[in-house]
Amino acid sequence: MIAIIDYGVGNLASIKNAFDSLNIESIITSDKSIILNSDKVILPGVGAFKDAIDLFRSKGFDDTIDQCIKLKKPILGICVGMQMLFQYSNEFGRHKGLGYFEGEFVKFDDSIYKVPHMGWNNIIIKNGCSLFNNISNPYVYFVHSYYLKDSKYSVAKCNYAGEDFCAAIWKDNIYATQFHPEKSGDVGLKILKNFGDL
């Protein structure tokens, strides 16, 4: 069973529908006991970073995700869910994330680039991450205005208007994507299946 954390923010129905189409059992839940007893966890997120992290903390899910990490459950952060795993985001001020990874998200220069970065873009995958098994440098779907330049845990990168940024990370049982696999067609379904097969 994959628990999709419902903390009031995220593309929950789309993620659930994607797993349903793969015949992978999942549940949208805010019940901490269900999350802690699940096999794997999805940390979703859309919208503004501060709103998302404040809601997440106010509902006590920071402690829950910490327990899941210590229990070595596979966790997949998606979009703002990925950003929350890092130290800081500069969206509407500088705000602290959960701090599992070093790094800070900054805004694309909207005097140069169209912001948000929205639509399909190619990612370059590094070998070795199970999330991308049997996938080679695909096009995936992005919607974001803030980006991470790089991370030592980066397993995929993307280029938007000449700016390289981190598209996915992996360390131990934690995986995360800046793009939306649930909106990325057959490639996204393959990524979610690979997560379900971990």
Side-chain angles (χ1 to χ4, degrees):
M1 169 71 77
I2 297 175
I4 304 165
I5 301 178
D6 180 5
Y7 60 100
V9 172
N11 230 7
L12 308 182
S14 296
I15 297 168
K16 177 76 167 64
N17 289 341
F19 282 121
D20 287 351
S21 74
L22 293 165
N23 295 314
I24 295 174
E25 189 177 10
S26 67
I27 184 171
I28 297 169
T29 183
S30 57
D31 187 319
K32 295 179 177 69
S33 64
I34 291 176
I35 295 165
L36 290 171
N37 284 293
S38 67
D39 300 309
K40 301 177 181 75
V41 176
I42 299 287
L43 174 57
V46 296
F49 179 91
K50 184 180 185 302
D51 293 343
I53 197 73
D54 285 353
L55 270 171
F56 195 77
R57 287 194 171 110
S58 72
K59 297 176 185 291
F61 285 122
D62 47 346
D63 289 335
T64 306
I65 207 76
D66 193 50
Q67 290 179 67
C68 288
I69 288 170
K70 289 174 180 174
L71 290 167
K72 301 192 182 302
K73 292 183 187 296
I75 295 165
L76 175 60
I78 296 175
C79 196
V80 175
M82 170 174 158
Q83 297 182 13
M84 287 166 56
L85 293 167
F86 283 79
Q87 289 174 307
Y88 296 101
S89 172
N90 285 276
E91 188 167 9
F92 304 115
R94 192 170 188 251
H95 306 289
K96 289 184 71 172
L98 298 172
Y100 294 111
F101 299 99
E102 293 180 1
E104 188 159 345
F105 284 78
V106 296
K107 191 176 183 179
F108 286 111
D109 186 346
D110 57 11
S111 70
I112 300 173
Y113 312 131
K114 183 179 178 182
V115 177
H117 170 214
M118 183 165 62
W120 295 85
N121 208 334
N122 178 238
I123 61 172
I124 306 300
I125 297 167
K126 295 180 183 177
N127 292 330
C129 179
S130 300
L131 210 59
F132 298 112
N133 281 349
N134 301 313
I135 297 172
S136 178
N137 302 334
Y139 280 80
V140 292
Y141 191 83
F142 289 90
V143 184
H144 65 122
S145 299
Y146 290 76
Y147 72 98
L148 181 72
K149 181 68 177 173
D150 201 7
S151 168
K152 65 182 178 180
Y153 301 111
S154 176
V155 290
K157 67 178 181 178
C158 184
N159 184 284
Y160 177 58
E163 188 76 65
D164 284 336
F165 67 89
C166 179
I169 57 103
W170 165 47
K171 180 189 177 188
D172 300 327
N173 56 312
I174 308 174
Y175 304 78
T177 64
Q178 180 61 72
F179 59 88
H180 286 273
E182 77 283 4
K183 293 183 176 181
S184 296
D186 290 343
V187 166
L189 289 176
K190 178 61 177 171
I191 291 168
L192 293 176
K193 184 177 187 307
N194 285 340
F195 179 72
D197 288 345
L198 291 173

